[in-house]
mmCIF file of all heavy atoms in Angstrom:
data_model
loop_
_atom_site.group_PDB
_atom_site.id
_atom_site.type_symbol
_atom_site.label_atom_id
_atom_site.label_comp_id
_atom_site.label_asym_id
_atom_site.label_seq_id
_atom_site.Cartn_x
_atom_site.Cartn_y
_atom_site.Cartn_z
ATOM 1 N N GLU A 9 137.126 11.602 52.551
ATOM 2 C CA GLU A 9 137.440 10.455 51.639
ATOM 3 C C GLU A 9 136.480 10.374 50.509
ATOM 4 O O GLU A 9 136.903 10.113 49.365
ATOM 5 C CB GLU A 9 137.340 9.128 52.484
ATOM 6 C CG GLU A 9 137.715 7.956 51.747
ATOM 7 C CD GLU A 9 139.151 7.910 51.252
ATOM 8 O OE1 GLU A 9 140.039 8.532 51.958
ATOM 9 O OE2 GLU A 9 139.463 7.236 50.267
ATOM 10 N N LYS A 12 137.413 13.311 47.880
ATOM 11 C CA LYS A 12 138.841 13.616 47.618
ATOM 12 C C LYS A 12 139.124 13.710 46.093
ATOM 13 O O LYS A 12 139.991 14.442 45.696
ATOM 14 C CB LYS A 12 139.687 12.606 48.296
ATOM 15 C CG LYS A 12 139.692 11.220 47.671
ATOM 16 C CD LYS A 12 140.646 10.290 48.269
ATOM 17 C CE LYS A 12 140.678 9.017 47.577
ATOM 18 N NZ LYS A 12 141.605 8.034 48.119
ATOM 19 N N ILE A 15 137.927 17.354 44.540
ATOM 20 C CA ILE A 15 138.546 18.553 44.991
ATOM 21 C C ILE A 15 139.456 19.110 43.913
ATOM 22 O O ILE A 15 140.246 18.351 43.395
ATOM 23 C CB ILE A 15 139.312 18.321 46.303
ATOM 24 C CG1 ILE A 15 138.356 17.925 47.402
ATOM 25 C CG2 ILE A 15 140.064 19.622 46.722
ATOM 26 C CD1 ILE A 15 138.989 17.511 48.705
ATOM 27 N N ARG A 20 149.425 26.708 38.840
ATOM 28 C CA ARG A 20 149.847 27.355 37.549
ATOM 29 C C ARG A 20 151.227 26.714 37.229
ATOM 30 O O ARG A 20 152.079 26.702 38.123
ATOM 31 C CB ARG A 20 150.026 28.867 37.729
ATOM 32 C CG ARG A 20 150.342 29.617 36.447
ATOM 33 C CD ARG A 20 150.472 31.103 36.647
ATOM 34 N NE ARG A 20 151.641 31.416 37.479
ATOM 35 C CZ ARG A 20 151.648 32.190 38.498
ATOM 36 N NH1 ARG A 20 150.576 32.701 38.940
ATOM 37 N NH2 ARG A 20 152.765 32.415 39.182
ATOM 38 N N ILE A 35 149.895 13.431 26.262
ATOM 39 C CA ILE A 35 150.867 14.459 26.394
ATOM 40 C C ILE A 35 151.800 14.121 27.490
ATOM 41 O O ILE A 35 151.392 13.846 28.607
ATOM 42 C CB ILE A 35 150.198 15.809 26.598
ATOM 43 C CG1 ILE A 35 149.292 16.249 25.442
ATOM 44 C CG2 ILE A 35 151.365 16.838 26.807
ATOM 45 C CD1 ILE A 35 148.469 17.499 25.763
ATOM 46 N N GLY A 44 150.849 27.000 43.546
ATOM 47 C CA GLY A 44 149.851 25.999 43.885
ATOM 48 C C GLY A 44 150.423 24.604 44.033
ATOM 49 O O GLY A 44 151.628 24.397 44.165
ATOM 50 N N ILE A 45 149.495 23.594 43.861
ATOM 51 C CA ILE A 45 149.904 22.152 44.027
ATOM 52 C C ILE A 45 149.350 21.467 42.759
ATOM 53 O O ILE A 45 148.166 21.584 42.465
ATOM 54 C CB ILE A 45 149.248 21.496 45.333
ATOM 55 C CG1 ILE A 45 149.751 22.336 46.484
ATOM 56 C CG2 ILE A 45 149.508 20.060 45.391
ATOM 57 C CD1 ILE A 45 148.963 21.831 47.760
ATOM 58 N N LYS A 47 148.406 17.964 41.214
ATOM 59 C CA LYS A 47 148.091 16.594 41.681
ATOM 60 C C LYS A 47 147.542 15.732 40.540
ATOM 61 O O LYS A 47 147.035 16.298 39.565
ATOM 62 C CB LYS A 47 147.064 16.635 42.801
ATOM 63 C CG LYS A 47 147.612 17.210 44.122
ATOM 64 C CD LYS A 47 146.511 16.930 45.213
ATOM 65 C CE LYS A 47 147.130 17.252 46.545
ATOM 66 N NZ LYS A 47 146.811 16.281 47.559
ATOM 67 N N THR A 50 144.119 16.372 38.222
ATOM 68 C CA THR A 50 143.883 17.818 37.939
ATOM 69 C C THR A 50 143.722 17.996 36.460
ATOM 70 O O THR A 50 144.487 17.396 35.604
ATOM 71 C CB THR A 50 145.034 18.626 38.361
ATOM 72 O OG1 THR A 50 145.255 18.525 39.793
ATOM 73 C CG2 THR A 50 144.830 20.164 38.075
ATOM 74 N N ALA A 54 145.359 25.462 28.926
ATOM 75 C CA ALA A 54 146.209 26.410 28.535
ATOM 76 C C ALA A 54 145.425 27.764 28.190
ATOM 77 O O ALA A 54 144.416 27.697 27.601
ATOM 78 C CB ALA A 54 147.002 26.044 27.260
ATOM 79 N N ARG A 59 143.255 31.228 20.805
ATOM 80 C CA ARG A 59 142.171 30.261 20.952
ATOM 81 C C ARG A 59 141.314 30.386 22.261
ATOM 82 O O ARG A 59 140.383 29.700 22.418
ATOM 83 C CB ARG A 59 142.760 28.857 20.850
ATOM 84 C CG ARG A 59 143.478 28.589 19.574
ATOM 85 C CD ARG A 59 144.117 27.188 19.617
ATOM 86 N NE ARG A 59 144.891 26.942 18.462
ATOM 87 C CZ ARG A 59 144.508 26.163 17.398
ATOM 88 N NH1 ARG A 59 143.314 25.672 17.433
ATOM 89 N NH2 ARG A 59 145.363 25.953 16.394
ATOM 90 N N GLY A 60 141.838 31.110 23.182
ATOM 91 C CA GLY A 60 141.165 31.204 24.448
ATOM 92 C C GLY A 60 141.622 30.136 25.389
ATOM 93 O O GLY A 60 142.767 29.778 25.437
ATOM 94 N N VAL A 61 140.664 29.508 26.116
ATOM 95 C CA VAL A 61 140.980 28.433 27.018
ATOM 96 C C VAL A 61 141.058 27.098 26.193
ATOM 97 O O VAL A 61 140.035 26.692 25.601
ATOM 98 C CB VAL A 61 139.967 28.335 28.150
ATOM 99 C CG1 VAL A 61 140.280 27.152 29.044
ATOM 100 C CG2 VAL A 61 139.976 29.651 28.946
ATOM 101 N N ASN A 73 162.552 12.646 38.646
ATOM 102 C CA ASN A 73 163.709 11.808 38.545
ATOM 103 C C ASN A 73 163.318 10.317 38.338
ATOM 104 O O ASN A 73 163.861 9.420 38.968
ATOM 105 C CB ASN A 73 164.667 11.923 39.744
ATOM 106 C CG ASN A 73 165.268 13.248 39.805
ATOM 107 O OD1 ASN A 73 165.666 13.847 38.765
ATOM 108 N ND2 ASN A 73 165.459 13.854 40.994
ATOM 109 N N VAL A 88 155.027 15.210 33.521
ATOM 110 C CA VAL A 88 153.558 14.996 33.680
ATOM 111 C C VAL A 88 153.103 14.235 32.487
ATOM 112 O O VAL A 88 153.514 14.549 31.390
ATOM 113 C CB VAL A 88 152.920 16.369 33.912
ATOM 114 C CG1 VAL A 88 153.058 17.279 32.824
ATOM 115 C CG2 VAL A 88 151.404 16.183 34.203
ATOM 116 N N GLY A 95 135.044 13.069 26.398
ATOM 117 C CA GLY A 95 134.138 13.977 25.763
ATOM 118 C C GLY A 95 134.871 15.126 25.023
ATOM 119 O O GLY A 95 134.239 15.892 24.284
#
Side-chain angles (χ1 to χ4, degrees):
E9 183 65 28
K12 73 177 182 179
I15 296 172
R20 185 178 71 230
I35 298 169
I45 301 172
K47 289 191 169 220
T50 301
R59 298 177 188 260
V61 177
N73 292 322
V88 60

